[in-house]
């Protein structure tokens, strides 16, 4: 027993030496390999804003602090989180549970079913044909002309004319005519019924009379007959078929159920156990699963604390804009309003009257329900905050620029603009996207500062100095 305990202690000690703890965040250890995985992934070749290890430490700590906050909020226990995480994790684990033999077995089964179906209906046929095309809209005279031509060619063939030569000269199937009319191997259900029935009724070397199908008249020569192709000649195509049609997912579904049943577990428990087992053996997989786990937590907690909060905090956005108004000054004036075109002259003033007393964000709904609720659109409108050059009608009638050419719309001959020129934004909604982004940054900064005060972080500088150098 002492020998076993000693061996275990040595193994743990060796692991600690090969992958030491680089930092702790609220008492949770972070190994050097975890940090390296994140650093290297986010600073690979092609990344524009590469960070040094020292520069990346702060970003990584902030990331881990948010994950800890999400764990404190017990987001990882919600059913929505558990379902989404398990779905992603299982996408990584499930393929590891099936073997090449499982796929091979499925391929064999697909082949056997197809082989039985094809051979039971007559196997494969290899025909050649001469096609005289006939439009389905052809009148009686055209139909008779094509039929007579087909009969004439048939009689020439019966009289000894060479089939391949006649196909090259007269067949309207330009894809097969150069090859003497020869088609690839055909199986039941692969072509139109009239052609198939005629081809399968022939003996090898036998020729049909003209056969009418949806494409026109065919004269068919049966070149060969055979049973279904051998498995080895189709194996690669069947494997590709399995991959592309999602059949591999069905194989994995069955395998997971079989393995779980054999282990006496439900599928969820079985997959949980397998994920732990595989991750313990594969550092890359372990990092990938942890990254997704923590990434889901980060997204949800950030949405709660920053993104969704900022988007819904109208009072906060207004206040932020008021305090930072100079930050959003424009280099040139803007026109806040609409450029519109009407079918009827009377609607020009009606549009202005309809929206005159409404807030700007309600104009679009009002105009749509008042003027364009029916199938016939009475007006065409472009609404927004425009700078010079954005809209020619706004340039001419809003900014009063002379010499601006406006392309008229034939169905909407009456043009007008409504709104006002602003030298600077008057309210936060005039620059809403910018204000929202900046307000989110402010919330993010305050949140991170509170997390740093709330949760202790320790960094082993000696271990940090060995990142990517061991």
């Amino acid at each position: 027993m002492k020998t076993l305990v000693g061996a275990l202690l040595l193994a743990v000690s060796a692991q600690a030496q090969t992958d030491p703890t680089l930092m702790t965040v609220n008492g949770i250890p972070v190994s050097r390999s975890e940090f390296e995985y994140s650093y290297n992934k986010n600073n690979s070749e092609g990344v524009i804003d590469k960070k040094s290890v020292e520069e990346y430490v702060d970003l990584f700590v902030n990331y881990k602090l948010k994950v800890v906050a999400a764990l404190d909020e017990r987001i990882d226990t919600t059913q929505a989180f558990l379902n989404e995480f398990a779905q992603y994790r299982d996408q990584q684990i499930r393929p590891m549970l099936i073997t090449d033999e499982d796929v091979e077995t499925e391929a064999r089964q697909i082949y056997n079913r197809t082989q039985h179906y094809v051979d039971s209906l007559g196997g494969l046929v290899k025909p050649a044909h001469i096609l005289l095309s006939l439009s389905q809209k052809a009148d009686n005279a055209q139909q008779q002309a094509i039929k007579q031509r087909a009969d004439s060619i048939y009689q020439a063939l019966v009289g000894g004319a060479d089939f391949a030569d006649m196909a090259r000269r007269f067949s309207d199937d330009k894809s097969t005519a150069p090859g003497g009319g020869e088609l690839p191997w055909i199986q039941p259900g692969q072509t139109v019924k009239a052609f198939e029935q005629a081809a399968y009724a022939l003996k090898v070397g036998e020729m049909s009379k003209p056969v009418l199908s949806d494409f026109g008249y065919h004269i068919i020569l049966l070149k060969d007959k055979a049973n279904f192709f051998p498995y080895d000649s189709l194996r690669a195509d069947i494997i590709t078929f399995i991959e592309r049609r999602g059949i591999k997912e069905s194989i994995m579904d069955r395998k997971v159920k079989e393995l779980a049943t054999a282990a006496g577990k439900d599928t969820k428990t079985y997959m949980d156990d397998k994920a732990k087992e595989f991750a313990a053996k594969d550092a890359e997989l372990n990092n990938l699963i942890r990254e997704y786990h923590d990434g889901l937590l980060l997204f949800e907690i950030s949405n709660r604390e920053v993104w969704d909060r900022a988007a819904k905090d109208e009072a906060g956005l207004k206040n932020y804009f008021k305090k930072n108004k100079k930050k959003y000054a424009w280099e040139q004036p803007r026109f806040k309003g609409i450029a519109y075109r009407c079918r009827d002259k009377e609607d020009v003033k009606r549009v202005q009257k309809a929206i005159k007393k409404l807030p700007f964000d309600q104009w679009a709904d009002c105009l749509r329900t008042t003027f364009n609720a029916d199938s016939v659109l009475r007006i065409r409108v472009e609404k927004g905050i425009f700078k010079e050059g954005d809209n020619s009608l706004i340039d001419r009638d809003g900014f009063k620029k002379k010499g601006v050419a406006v392309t008229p719309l034939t169905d909407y001959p009456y043009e007008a603009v409504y709104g006002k020129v602003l030298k600077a934004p008057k309210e936060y909604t005039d620059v809403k996207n910018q204000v929202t982004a900046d307000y989110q940054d402010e919330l993010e900064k305050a949140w991170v500062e509170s997390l740093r005060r709330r949760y202790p972080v320790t960094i082993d500088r000696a271990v940090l100095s060995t990142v990517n150098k061991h």
Side-chain angles (χ1 to χ4, degrees), residues 330 333-341 351-352 355-356 358-364 367 380-387 390-391 393-395 397-399 416-422 427 429-430:
W330 290 324
R334 302 286 196 271
F335 183 87
K336 182 179 181 179
I338 58 171
Y340 64 105
R341 302 164 190 261
V351 165
Q352 297 178 13
I355 61 179
K356 187 174 183 180
L358 293 176
F360 185 64
D361 61 0
Q362 294 180 22
W363 287 12
L367 294 175
R380 298 282 296 272
V381 183
E382 188 175 350
K383 170 181 172 287
I385 298 177
F386 304 87
K387 64 179 183 296
D390 286 347
N391 182 290
L393 187 54
I394 295 288
D395 288 348
D397 297 347
F399 290 114
V417 302
Y418 183 73
K420 55 187 176 182
V421 175
L422 302 177
E427 50 192 351
T429 52
D430 295 339

Side-chain angles (χ1 to χ4, degrees), residues 343 371-380 411-412:
R343 289 182 181 274
F371 297 93
N372 290 340
D374 297 329
S375 58
V376 178
L377 304 181
R378 289 164 58 185
I379 62 173
R380 298 282 296 272
D411 294 335
Y412 300 85

Side-chain angles (χ1 to χ4, degrees), residues 149-195:
R149 188 161 176 242
D151 288 340
S152 176
I153 293 172
Y154 176 73
Q155 290 302 324
L157 291 167
V158 171
D162 181 70
F163 190 95
D165 180 58
M166 297 291 277
R168 281 189 285 268
R169 291 168 59 194
F170 300 115
S171 179
D172 291 328
D173 183 352
K174 300 308 178 186
S175 64
T176 64
E182 190 166 319
L183 289 158
W185 286 99
I186 292 173
Q187 66 186 53
Q190 195 171 347
T191 186
V192 290
K193 189 173 183 180
F195 184 95

